Amino acid sequence: MPVVEQATQVLRANDRGGYTVPTDGLYPFQWNWDSAFAALGFAAFDTNRAWQEVETLLEAQWPNGMVPHIVFHQDDPTYFPGPLVWQANQGPKPSSGITQPPVAATIIRQLASTDARRSDGLLPKLDAWHRWFHSARDPDGLGVMAITHPWESGRDNLPDWDQPTAAVDTSMIGDYTRRDTSLIDPSTRPNKEQYDRYLALVQLGVELEWDPAAIARDSPFFVADVGMTAVLLRAERDLLVMVQESPRATDVDAAVIAQRIANLEHGFERLWNPAVAAYCSLDLRTGRWASTASSGSFLAWYAGVKTHHQELLAELSRYVDAATFAVPSFDPEHPLFNHVLYWRGPVWAVMNWMIAVGLRDADETDWYQRIRSDTMTLIETSGFAEYFSPIDAQPCGGTTFTWTAAIWLAFNADP
Ligand code: DGY
């Protein structure tokens, strides 16, 4: 069957009616950034369904503006931790208590030309979500976005979080049963020590009633994430364009968005780590940098930041030269690199799409083509896996992944 039909079939099969699961089994609910990427995929063949995907996601927005990272549309005991563990009942639907990188505005901007009224209806929601980021995840106005849980970054077990999570007390978590490791190969999933910390941070959120101010004050884990900051900066720019182009978006203040953009542009430079010559995550509790760059560092172009263009290109070349397929999620020459272990080395199609789009916007079309071609080759060789080895193209994690299919469709539509 032609790949375009296979990709379409993956999205259709993971469609649960108004929202799409990342994959059947492992992730049985609606995940925030997975869902935005699903919309990008649906846009290639069913625009109405693409709109529905982002509308359903934003319907789960909390009154304080946060859009949760998981929306538990129905009960499903096959996933852990479910809504009873999160106890985050502040939104219109059962959900988790944290967010995820806000790619939605960028993808909605791509859809906007197909239905201006539908996009207008979402602008106030996007604006409220972005505003929430600045107050909840940057209470000191540094212009960098903190994550309060590794899951919030979407790049769960990235080595950037090893040191900061070491400060998390796991003595009170009690017994629990993971579901993920009975569904797929445990050697491609976060380990027990990491999972204990993930759960301890969920328990802390519950204790603090998911109050962002209390979490920002009391959580031992509060790390400025280069990936989150870049994605938000890009999303703010796309939101601003949509607001400026919409005569009906009178309830969203373009000048305020422009101020937020200026603040993020300024803040992003705080993440430049001269010792590594790359933008790096920064532990806001200790002031310690992540030990090296990661694929999140290469989102600077996606964010429209070109300050260190040549130095970052040199770092990207180093990554790519040390692997076979662009772009490893973690430094392939670092001792912690593992080519099949989740966010500690493998290639993720969604990261590749954002990096490639950013490079094309920065007029680096050869780089766009290299990353586009590697991503499509990986998928065509190894299927719609969750992620791939950058060394031997091995498919890893779950199979028939929505966002992998979506990115193939997006690249296919965008030569
Ligand atoms: C998981 O369950 O592993 C997810 O990544 C949490 O978002």
Side-chain angles (χ1 to χ4, degrees):
M1 190 192 302
V3 189
V4 65
E5 279 174 38
Q6 293 174 38
T8 305
Q9 210 172 63
V10 170
L11 263 67
R12 292 282 190 220
N14 289 338
D15 184 352
R16 295 292 178 271
Y19 74 95
T20 311
V21 295
T23 185
D24 192 38
L26 187 60
Y27 297 122
F29 310 106
Q30 184 175 29
W31 260 258
N32 187 322
W33 68 333
D34 292 73
S35 196
F37 287 115
L40 181 70
F42 277 120
F45 62 94
D46 186 344
T47 352
N48 179 51
R49 187 60 192 77
W51 280 110
Q52 231 185 354
E53 188 74 33
V54 282
E55 286 163 353
T56 311
L57 175 67
L58 291 168
E59 273 165 24
Q61 182 162 41
W62 285 19
N64 69 4
M66 187 187 82
V67 181
H69 106 289
I70 309 176
V71 187
F72 299 111
H73 286 282
Q74 81 296 319
D75 287 338
D76 196 325
T78 63
Y79 181 80
F80 177 85
L84 294 177
V85 179
W86 283 95
Q87 295 181 48
N89 306 314
Q90 297 185 23
K93 291 184 176 168
S95 74
S96 68
I98 56 172
T99 193
Q100 249 181 348
V103 285
T106 299
I107 286 158
I108 289 169
R109 186 176 165 203
Q110 299 217 359
L111 292 174
S113 63
T114 65
D115 195 330
R117 281 192 184 273
R118 246 167 140 168
S119 99
D120 285 355
L122 299 179
L123 298 181
K125 290 175 176 243
L126 293 171
D127 184 54
W129 185 18
H130 293 184
R131 244 185 296 125
W132 172 87
F133 266 106
H134 290 265
S135 68
R137 300 301 192 238
D138 181 23
D140 295 328
L142 299 172
V144 292
M145 288 303 127
I147 52 163
T148 59
H149 195 295
W151 286 339
E152 202 158 54
S153 72
R155 292 156 20 255
D156 303 3
N157 67 345
L158 185 70
D160 290 23
W161 325 134
D162 289 0
Q163 187 75 38
T165 49
V168 176
D169 176 10
T170 56
S171 59
M172 302 298 283
I173 51 167
D175 291 336
Y176 64 92
T177 306
R178 286 173 67 169
R179 305 285 177 199
D180 58 325
T181 41
S182 60
L183 291 167
I184 57 170
D185 179 359
S187 71
T188 64
R189 294 291 297 171
N191 62 31
K192 159 128 177 71
E193 194 188 351
Q194 285 156 345
Y195 235 80
D196 286 355
R197 292 184 172 141
Y198 299 160
L199 289 181
L201 284 169
V202 172
Q203 283 181 358
L204 179 68
V206 172
E207 272 162 38
L208 298 175
E209 298 178 350
W210 300 108
D211 170 7
I215 292 170
R217 192 189 57 225
D218 295 346
S219 175
F221 183 83
F222 202 67
V223 184
D225 173 14
V226 63
M228 186 68 98
T229 308
V231 170
L232 180 64
L233 177 47
R234 169 68 184 236
E236 290 281 39
R237 293 191 202 280
D238 289 320
L239 177 62
L240 179 60
V241 172
M242 287 191 282
V243 168
Q244 285 167 336
E245 286 177 352
S246 165
R248 290 178 294 270
T250 47
D251 40 2
V252 182
D253 189 340
V256 173
I257 303 172
Q259 276 166 15
R260 298 199 302 250
I261 291 172
N263 187 39
L264 284 164
E265 284 174 337
H266 183 73
F268 204 80
E269 296 307 322
R270 291 179 194 273
L271 299 179
W272 182 256
N273 180 352
V276 173
Y279 294 101
C280 291
S281 298
L282 181 63
D283 186 340
L284 295 173
R285 293 293 182 240
T286 62
R288 282 179 68 155
W289 294 103
S291 62
T292 185
S294 72
S295 58
S297 310
F298 305 125
L299 294 180
W301 293 293
Y302 178 78
V305 173
K306 301 187 191 97
T307 324
H308 294 280
H309 183 74
Q310 290 305 338
E311 288 150 290
L312 260 194
L313 271 189
E315 185 68 350
L316 179 60
S317 301
R318 185 176 70 78
Y319 263 56
V320 171
D321 290 348
T324 316
F325 297 95
V327 176
S329 50
F330 188 64
D331 184 346
E333 296 182 318
H334 193 283
L336 291 176
F337 174 79
N338 180 328
H339 75 125
V340 293
L341 182 48
Y342 214 39
W343 288 94
R344 298 172 90 88
V347 175
W348 292 75
V350 292
M351 293 300 289
N352 275 13
W353 181 79
M354 291 188 284
I355 296 168
V357 163
L359 282 159
R360 189 182 52 188
D361 292 351
D363 295 324
E364 294 289 349
T365 40
D366 288 352
W367 270 109
Y368 172 78
Q369 288 303 345
R370 164 77 204 260
I371 297 171
R372 173 182 182 272
S373 150
D374 280 13
T375 313
M376 293 179 87
T377 303
L378 280 170
I379 297 169
E380 287 157 23
T381 312
S382 302
F384 299 98
E386 187 174 6
Y387 53 92
F388 305 89
S389 159
I391 307 298
D392 61 11
Q394 193 178 140
C396 308
T399 55
T400 54
F401 245 77
T402 293
W403 70 6
T404 308
I407 295 301
W408 189 92
L409 289 165
F411 273 137
N412 185 51
D414 214 358

